[in-house]
Amino acid sequence: MPVLVTCKNIMAQTCDYLIVGAGIVGLTVARELKRRNPAAKIIVLEKDVEVGKHASGRNSGVLHSGVYYGSTTLKAKVCSSGATKMRLFAEEHNIPCRRSGKVIIATSERDLPTVERLLKNAKENGIVAERLDEDGIRRLEPHATAYQTGIYCPDTAVIDSKAVVCKLRTLLEQEGVEIVFESPLVSALPREKIAQTPKETFSYGYLFNCAGAGADIVAKKFGLAKDYTLVPFKGIYYKLRPERRDLVLGNIYPVPDVDLPFLGVHLTRGISGDVYVGPTAIPALGRENYGILKGLELFESMKIGVELFGMYCANKQNFRLLVHTEAKKYLKSSFLASAQKLMKELTASDLIPCDKVGIRPQLINVKTKTLEMDYIIERTDSTLHVLNSISPAFTSSMAFAEWLVDRVEEAR
């Protein structure tokens, strides 16, 4: 039976820890809290009808090595160790996971300095990464088109991400963690440590905001995230037609474009054997705008449009170039041209439509009009808010959860 308390005439269900969001970050935080505090009462609020409905269940399934991230970033601190923990979790629970490796290839002369930077990251972060020449790349990915050089990351893996979040749900519920569905957090009384959903009221000892694309909205209810808002970017994919899947054996990524903030189109052989080509990073007009009109809400779309226009005018981090480059990828010819930088022999007929669509909930600083590229954490005495759980959040989640809970325990 739930314990109810009355606080200023409010009947509230009590818990030691209240977690907002049942995506991969929220679930792994619940798992880490339960591991450290077996007797704790933990409740997870989820606005949808299932776990991992959005980014956690729609991502590429790639467990990244961490080679992209400078050693001073929080991403670098938790990515590689998180990938190891996730592979061990998959092995323990018979979740499909395959260490397929990744080649990161230069596509032009201007990429060569970035290759050096990535190798420096790998050395500083303790990541296994090997420089390859064109012959070395062809031995691993015979159809890849590299310019002079590339990097091989053998520890990169692919995993069934939906199976991971479903297994976490099962394990947590078996351990007494309560996951309450169709329960978005709509209001809060921070001083009283009260949070309200349309159905229930909760009194908590400590609250973790792991709400993904809605994390900034939740944080603002606690007086935080004043300088931030989330702007969504849509990732659309094609697949290689079945008879052409053998063109890709593992993962083929481009060296990141120094002029743009995102990785660009890449080729990934998923855990099912399908080869996905993508994603794009097209500015979207809704946090769940998976289709052309699906997920559009007029007021929210207007707010996002205003922020996008402001960033376009400010043009920090080459935002205009990003918009122009990505918007073109709605055209198959432009999308194909991006993919052909990695594999020249691809043709339009090789790419078939795919229902895989994701949203990257990207945090922006509204004052500086810049994209935040690392995880952003804000806290009060009784709450912690994960404001930018972008890639590699799935890969790093188990190590990230440990880091988050450590920060809370150190402060108490």
Side-chain angles (χ1 to χ4, degrees):
M1 289 289 292
V3 178
L4 298 177
V5 297
T6 303
C7 178
K8 292 186 178 180
N9 300 318
I10 298 173
M11 294 296 293
Q13 185 177 169
T14 65
C15 58
D16 299 298
Y17 297 102
L18 185 65
I19 299 170
V20 184
I24 190 64
V25 177
L27 294 174
T28 51
V29 166
R31 176 176 179 263
E32 186 62 22
L33 289 169
K34 198 64 177 176
R35 185 182 71 81
R36 301 189 192 193
N37 309 280
K41 173 66 175 176
I42 301 172
I43 296 176
V44 182
L45 303 180
E46 171 52 49
K47 72 179 183 65
D48 286 300
V49 298
E50 59 181 313
V51 297
K53 185 176 179 182
H54 300 290
S56 298
R58 290 173 172 267
N59 64 71
S60 65
V62 175
L63 297 183
H64 298 283
S65 65
V67 71
Y68 298 115
Y69 316 117
S71 60
T72 61
T73 64
L74 179 51
K75 286 182 177 183
K77 288 178 172 61
V78 295
C79 184
S80 180
S81 58
T84 299
K85 292 176 186 296
M86 187 65 78
R87 288 196 300 267
L88 292 173
F89 180 82
E91 183 178 341
E92 179 182 358
H93 297 288
N94 297 313
I95 293 171
C97 182
R98 183 177 70 252
R99 191 178 299 193
S100 51
K102 174 199 291 185
V103 295
I104 305 170
I105 61 175
T107 60
S108 70
E109 175 116 15
R110 67 193 299 272
D111 289 336
L112 300 184
T114 308
V115 171
E116 300 304 322
R117 178 171 61 82
L118 296 183
L119 289 168
K120 180 174 181 286
N121 289 347
K123 183 177 180 180
E124 293 177 348
N125 296 337
I127 295 165
V128 179
E130 177 186 357
R131 185 202 303 271
L132 298 176
D133 59 16
E134 291 179 58
D135 288 338
I137 291 166
R138 277 193 291 269
R139 282 193 292 271
L140 293 169
E141 292 287 353
H143 300 276
T145 306
Y147 179 85
Q148 294 186 7
T149 189
I151 300 170
Y152 176 50
C153 298
D155 290 335
T156 300
V158 290
I159 196 169
D160 186 337
S161 53
K162 193 66 176 179
V164 170
V165 292
C166 290
K167 174 54 71 172
L168 283 168
R169 174 190 177 177
T170 298
L171 294 173
L172 289 169
E173 290 180 334
Q174 288 173 350
E175 293 170 359
V177 174
E178 182 181 357
I179 304 176
V180 186
F181 294 98
E182 298 181 276
S183 296
L185 191 150
V186 294
S187 63
L189 299 172
R191 290 184 181 179
E192 292 82 1
K193 298 184 183 180
I194 293 290
Q196 294 175 307
T197 72
K199 299 178 182 178
E200 295 180 83
T201 299
F202 299 88
S203 172
Y204 56 84
Y206 200 93
L207 179 144
F208 287 84
N209 169 13
C210 306
D216 61 320
I217 296 172
V218 172
K220 284 176 170 57
K221 300 181 190 302
F222 294 84
L224 301 177
K226 293 178 181 179
D227 294 338
Y228 298 110
T229 192
L230 278 160
V231 169
F233 289 80
K234 185 183 300 185
I236 59 175
Y237 294 80
Y238 283 88
K239 286 197 300 188
L240 292 189
R241 53 192 172 94
E243 57 270 33
R244 297 282 273 175
R245 288 176 187 166
D246 289 344
L247 291 176
V248 178
L249 303 181
N251 299 279
I252 306 173
Y253 279 58
V255 167
D257 188 334
V258 294
D259 290 333
L260 296 172
F262 301 144
L263 287 179
V265 168
H266 42 270
L267 307 171
T268 296
R269 177 176 283 273
I271 200 67
S272 67
D274 287 333
V275 174
Y276 293 96
V277 186
T280 59
I282 301 167
L285 290 176
R287 298 176 191 230
E288 298 176 16
N289 178 211
Y290 297 115
I292 295 176
L293 298 177
K294 184 180 178 182
L296 287 179
E297 295 181 8
L298 182 59
F299 182 67
E300 177 73 7
S301 297
M302 289 174 62
K303 285 175 59 181
I304 292 170
V306 168
E307 293 298 341
L308 289 171
F309 180 74
M311 294 181 69
Y312 188 89
C313 292
N315 197 31
K316 300 287 183 65
Q317 298 162 305
N318 286 310
F319 190 75
R320 284 181 209 162
L321 177 62
L322 172 69
V323 171
H324 297 163
T325 301
E326 294 297 320
K328 290 177 184 176
K329 291 176 186 172
Y330 269 124
L331 299 173
K332 188 175 182 179
S333 58
S334 180
F335 191 103
L336 174 64
S338 294
Q340 286 174 329
K341 291 179 181 178
L342 303 174
M343 189 174 290
K344 285 184 179 177
E345 65 186 271
L346 288 177
T347 65
S349 64
D350 291 331
L351 305 182
I352 60 176
C354 174
D355 60 3
K356 184 178 180 66
V357 180
I359 295 288
R360 176 189 174 107
Q362 175 67 54
L363 195 71
I364 66 168
N365 187 309
V366 295
K367 289 186 175 180
T368 63
K369 301 298 181 185
T370 55
L371 306 173
E372 294 290 350
M373 302 310 292
D374 202 0
Y375 304 140
I376 301 294
I377 312 299
E378 290 195 355
R379 292 190 286 174
T380 68
D381 289 342
S382 58
T383 67
L384 181 148
H385 304 259
V386 183
L387 296 180
N388 201 31
S389 52
I390 51 176
S391 180
F394 193 96
T395 298
S396 61
S397 57
M398 292 184 174
F400 191 27
E402 290 184 8
W403 187 91
L404 292 170
V405 176
D406 282 346
R407 301 290 82 72
V408 172
E409 291 186 347
E410 287 170 3
R412 299 182 89 177

